[in-house]
């Protein structure tokens, strides 16, 4: 895969810039229930407002515009609009049968815009990361405090759901698969297992990024793993990067990136929130302030891929990109 070679080459040359928050940008459009439904789903049985993945079908121009803004801001990698693109998450909207189409079309939109930018500047190729979110079920924890042994989902159910999503993302043109916002590593292992099956069946190279989320000041994921335990749990796969996103601002994330950096030869990725949410759930860090927080990452040589999560906009990504271009990436031995 030519794109894989370009990706590995770019990783060795510079810090790659990931895009910012899709959800934050979608909120700016103030879409109504009718906007989410579009003509095709106007008589759908359940409410659809909030199903952001669906907008790839009903408001594709908006999704394309968001991708374009992040690429203009300097992003090398843009994520598909598929964070909830599994049958498990789509069950909330009774849209399980649309999962393949949602992922395929989302990847196609992102690929189209990336190809435009790569054609304009072949020396800075742009890449599509197929976003694979954690689902709204957890394989490691019981949702019932009175029945700690109960599980709402099995490993095999997760594997099947993730495989369907991953296949559609690849078919639509994704260059990378990004298993992200991992709060339960067992869920992530199901996704990685599914991706490995596809890799064997199709006999292709699939660059994989893995990104966990530290949920509080204890430095653990929701299912209780420390940063180094999380790293050990996913290190059986050949990953292009491992890192953290969401939950914390850049400053709070630094010690956990240092742990990863000291214990792995994978690339390190980070895409923190624009600080911690205020009392109204809003994120207050300005692009300039957030870039200053990230300066520590680049000065210490901790990262290979940097972007933004909740609350981040193209303005944040531009500030981060302007900073990162002056620094070398963390040194890794990349193999293909």
């Amino acid at each position: 895969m030519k794109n894989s070679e370009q990706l590995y080459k770019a990783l060795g040359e510079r810090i790659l810039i990931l895009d910012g928050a899709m959800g934050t940008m979608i909120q700016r459009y103030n879409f109504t229930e009718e906007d989410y439904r579009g003509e095709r789903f106007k008589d759908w049985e359940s409410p659809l407002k909030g199903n952001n993945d669906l907008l790839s079908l009903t408001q594709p121009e908006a999704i394309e515009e968001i991708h374009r803004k992040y690429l203009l801001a300097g992003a090398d990698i843009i994520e598909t609009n598929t964070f909830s693109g599994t049958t498990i998450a789509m069950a909330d909207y009774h849209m399980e049968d649309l999962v393949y189409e949602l992922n395929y079309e989302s990847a196609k939109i992102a690929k189209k815009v990336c190809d435009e930018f790569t054609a304009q500047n072949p020396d800075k190729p742009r890449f599509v990361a197929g976003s694979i979110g954690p689902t709204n079920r957890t394989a490691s924890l019981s949702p019932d405090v009175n029945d700690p042994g109960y599980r709402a989902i099995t490993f095999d159910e997760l594997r099947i759901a993730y495989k369907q999503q991953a296949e559609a993302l690849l078919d639509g043109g994704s260059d990378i698969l990004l298993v992200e916002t991992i709060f339960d590593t067992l869920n992530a292992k199901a996704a990685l297992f599914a991706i490995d099956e596809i890799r064997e069946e199709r006999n292709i190279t699939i660059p994989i990024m893995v990104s966990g989320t530290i949920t509080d000041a204890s430095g653990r994921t929701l299912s209780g793993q420390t940063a180094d335990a999380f790293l050990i749990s996913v290190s059986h796969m050949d990953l292009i990067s491992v890192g953290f996103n969401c939950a914390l601002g850049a400053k709070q994330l630094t010690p956990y990136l240092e742990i990863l950096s000291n214990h792995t030869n994978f690339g390190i990725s980070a895409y923190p929130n624009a600080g911690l949410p205020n009392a109204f759930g809003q994120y207050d860090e300005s692009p300039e302030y957030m870039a200053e927080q990230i300066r520590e990452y680049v000065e210490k040589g901790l990262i290979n891929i940097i972007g933004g999560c909740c609350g981040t906009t193209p303005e944040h990504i531009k500030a981060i990109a302007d900073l990162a271009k002056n620094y070398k990436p963390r040194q890794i031995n990349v193999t293909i």
Side-chain angles (χ1 to χ4, degrees):
M1 288 171 77
K2 183 164 172 276
N3 280 19
S4 292
E5 289 167 21
Q6 287 183 315
L7 174 63
Y8 288 108
K9 183 172 181 286
L11 262 174
E13 293 172 347
R14 64 184 192 277
I15 296 172
L16 297 186
I17 307 299
L18 189 67
D19 61 6
M22 174 62 73
T24 299
M25 295 300 288
I26 286 172
Q27 284 173 2
R28 292 182 171 186
Y29 288 84
N30 293 313
F31 286 133
T32 63
E33 176 71 30
E34 288 67 35
D35 294 325
Y36 273 87
R37 288 173 176 266
E39 188 59 31
R40 180 174 166 187
F41 302 104
K42 69 178 195 298
D43 299 322
W44 200 257
E45 60 189 289
S46 56
L48 297 178
K49 189 176 179 182
N51 185 357
N52 286 350
D53 294 24
L54 182 62
L55 296 172
S56 295
L57 301 184
T58 56
Q59 303 291 338
E61 300 85 2
I63 302 304
E64 187 177 318
E65 185 177 50
I66 291 167
H67 288 324
R68 188 168 276 112
K69 283 177 176 173
Y70 279 125
L71 289 166
L72 283 167
D76 297 287
I77 303 170
I78 56 168
E79 292 188 52
T80 55
N81 178 39
T82 55
F83 188 79
S84 301
T86 57
T87 50
I88 297 159
M90 281 295 147
D92 289 351
Y93 303 98
H94 309 289
M95 288 190 152
E96 297 95 324
D97 291 346
L98 286 165
V99 161
Y100 184 90
E101 184 185 0
L102 281 170
N103 285 281
Y104 179 81
E105 291 299 329
S106 293
K108 240 173 88 174
I109 292 168
K111 188 66 173 171
K112 175 192 163 195
V113 191
C114 270
D115 285 350
E116 276 176 32
F117 277 76
T118 300
Q120 289 165 17
N121 184 1
D123 292 337
K124 186 178 164 70
R126 314 298 181 103
F127 305 98
V128 176
S131 168
I132 299 176
T135 83
N136 48 9
R137 304 284 178 90
T138 170
S140 292
L141 303 168
S142 172
D144 183 355
V145 292
N146 297 313
D147 187 0
Y150 173 71
R151 296 291 179 270
I153 193 134
T154 66
F155 184 91
D156 215 42
E157 287 168 332
L158 285 164
R159 178 189 63 79
I160 291 164
Y162 282 131
K163 189 171 184 182
Q164 181 187 18
Q165 180 180 25
E167 286 181 320
L169 287 169
L170 291 168
D171 292 348
S174 296
D175 304 299
I176 303 162
L177 291 181
L178 168 54
V179 182
E180 65 172 333
T181 323
I182 298 160
F183 61 82
D184 179 352
T185 310
L186 194 55
N187 284 39
K189 286 174 88 73
L192 294 172
F193 191 90
I195 294 166
D196 213 30
E197 282 189 330
I198 299 166
R199 190 151 55 180
E200 281 188 22
E201 288 165 10
R202 299 189 178 193
N203 193 25
I204 55 172
T205 300
I206 305 175
I208 305 166
M209 295 172 63
V210 164
S211 185
T213 187
I214 299 287
T215 50
D216 59 34
S218 74
R220 293 173 182 267
T221 64
L222 187 67
S223 56
Q225 281 191 313
T226 58
D228 37 7
F230 165 69
L231 173 64
I232 291 164
S233 298
V234 297
S235 289
H236 63 292
M237 291 290 284
D238 184 18
L239 308 174
I240 63 164
S241 72
V242 63
F244 292 116
N245 72 292
C246 203
L248 301 177
K251 194 174 184 62
Q252 295 88 354
L253 209 52
T254 309
Y256 311 117
L257 294 175
E258 288 178 320
I259 290 169
L260 295 184
S261 185
N262 290 335
H263 291 99
T264 186
N265 200 35
F266 296 142
I268 303 290
S269 70
Y271 47 116
N273 293 345
L276 297 174
N278 62 27
F280 303 102
Q282 303 297 311
Y283 295 86
D284 297 327
E285 281 190 4
S286 68
E288 298 74 25
Y289 187 82
M290 187 175 178
E292 269 311 304
Q293 306 298 307
I294 282 167
R295 187 181 294 277
E296 188 175 5
Y297 299 178
V298 292
E299 286 181 345
K300 288 182 172 178
L302 295 179
I303 53 165
N304 303 90
I305 300 170
I306 182 72
C309 205
C310 304
T312 59
T313 64
E315 293 77 21
H316 288 84
I317 297 307
K318 183 176 188 315
I320 292 167
D322 287 346
L323 169 76
K325 70 184 178 192
N326 300 315
Y327 292 86
K328 290 195 176 339
R330 175 177 169 275
Q331 288 309 295
I332 51 171
N333 297 320
V334 176
T335 56
I336 182 166

